[in-house]
Amino acid sequence: MIAKDTLPKFLLVLVFSWLSLSPVKSQTTPNPSNLISPETGIDYTLLNNLLSRQQWREANNTTFRLMLQSLKREQQGWVSSEDIAQLPCSDLKIIDDLWKQHSQGRFGYTVQFPIFVATGNKPGKLVNPQFYDDFGTNVGWRKDNQWIIFRENLIYSLDAPVGHLPNPRPEYQITGGRLNYTALTERMVKCSLVSYTIDKKPVYQPAGGAKPVEQRPVNLDNIR
């Protein structure tokens, strides 16, 4: 059994091991040829340039606009969970790779994914609203048991918690956009940006022969 005071450190190691190994596919350094989506023809050079200059707020807003463009939803200005289920995989991968590359691996959708799962959530299924609240707390989208005001109160710097960005949800959206985000995590799996086995709960084997730990809702406040 893992001692209570060592659990946060173990979880920190676990999540960052997950980020660097199986769930997140390797990222490549973008070049002009792979900044254009082969599926939609959208050019991601502007997003690349904003991220390279660490203009996080502008990059976050641009990410939302590009996602609308990839789904042909610019006129509507919003997307549903059904729309997100149709996100072109190439576009989603380019966005995620750019965020990871320019943040030294701190930001990106696949960076958020293991924290989402470790707090008890499942891709494509809202297991429990409290689990999603726990996820929001650990990536800095909730404070004092309330969702922060989007997008004004997001932290636009590398001092933000791991996984804090991108979060291109509409301003003042309640419940943290949990249905849309849950659909996004399922899309990550279907696009093979991450690996996840739905039928079996992950069991993590700690070093040193300690008892295996079955995935369950946990407090990841130390992940920063």
Side-chain angles (χ1 to χ4, degrees):
M1 179 178 295
I2 299 175
K4 185 176 181 180
D5 59 351
T6 63
L7 183 57
K9 183 180 293 186
F10 165 69
L11 290 169
L12 181 62
V13 173
L14 168 63
V15 169
F16 278 97
S17 296
W18 199 346
L19 288 174
S20 61
L21 298 175
S22 60
V24 181
K25 305 299 182 182
S26 60
Q27 54 183 307
T28 56
T29 302
N31 58 53
S33 64
N34 61 25
L35 288 173
I36 299 177
S37 167
E39 292 183 70
T40 64
I42 294 174
D43 189 341
Y44 286 86
T45 299
L46 173 60
L47 179 60
N48 180 56
N49 292 344
L50 290 171
L51 289 169
S52 68
R53 295 193 292 266
Q54 297 192 358
Q55 294 177 268
W56 306 115
R57 182 167 189 154
E58 293 84 352
N60 194 64
N61 294 340
T62 298
T63 296
F64 182 57
R65 291 195 297 269
L66 289 168
M67 290 178 72
L68 288 174
Q69 185 179 352
S70 72
L71 290 166
K72 304 186 188 307
R73 299 279 301 176
E74 300 106 307
Q75 289 187 344
Q76 292 84 353
W78 58 273
V79 293
S80 67
S81 56
E82 290 78 12
D83 295 322
I84 290 174
Q86 304 301 317
L87 268 171
C89 293
S90 297
D91 294 70
L92 186 57
K93 185 178 189 308
I94 291 172
I95 290 170
D96 184 60
D97 282 349
L98 288 174
W99 276 95
K100 287 188 295 185
Q101 179 202 357
H102 293 297
S103 66
Q104 295 110 52
R106 293 186 64 84
F107 301 148
Y109 293 128
T110 56
V111 175
Q112 297 161 1
F113 185 87
I115 305 173
F116 175 83
V117 173
T119 43
N121 298 282
K122 291 184 179 181
K125 182 179 180 181
L126 184 61
V127 178
N128 185 316
Q130 182 59 52
F131 293 176
Y132 188 76
D133 286 356
D134 291 343
F135 164 66
T137 296
N138 285 291
V139 293
W141 299 344
R142 283 173 57 86
K143 185 177 181 181
D144 299 326
N145 295 318
Q146 293 184 342
W147 291 94
I148 65 173
I149 296 175
F150 294 99
R151 308 170 195 156
E152 190 61 35
N153 289 354
L154 290 170
I155 302 170
Y156 297 105
S157 79
L158 287 174
D159 294 329
V162 171
H164 190 69
L165 298 172
N167 191 318
R169 297 201 303 270
E171 293 183 85
Y172 313 118
Q173 188 177 46
I174 61 174
T175 71
R178 60 194 182 203
L179 294 179
N180 280 7
Y181 191 85
T182 300
L184 179 63
T185 58
E186 183 177 37
R187 192 60 179 158
M188 282 188 258
V189 174
K190 290 186 175 180
C191 290
S192 299
L193 270 67
V194 295
S195 299
Y196 180 80
T197 302
I198 296 176
D199 296 332
K200 183 178 180 181
K201 291 183 179 180
V203 175
Y204 307 107
Q205 177 65 60
K211 184 178 179 180
V213 179
E214 184 177 289
Q215 175 193 310
R216 61 190 185 280
V218 293
N219 186 338
L220 300 179
D221 288 338
N222 277 27
I223 301 177
R224 292 292 183 271

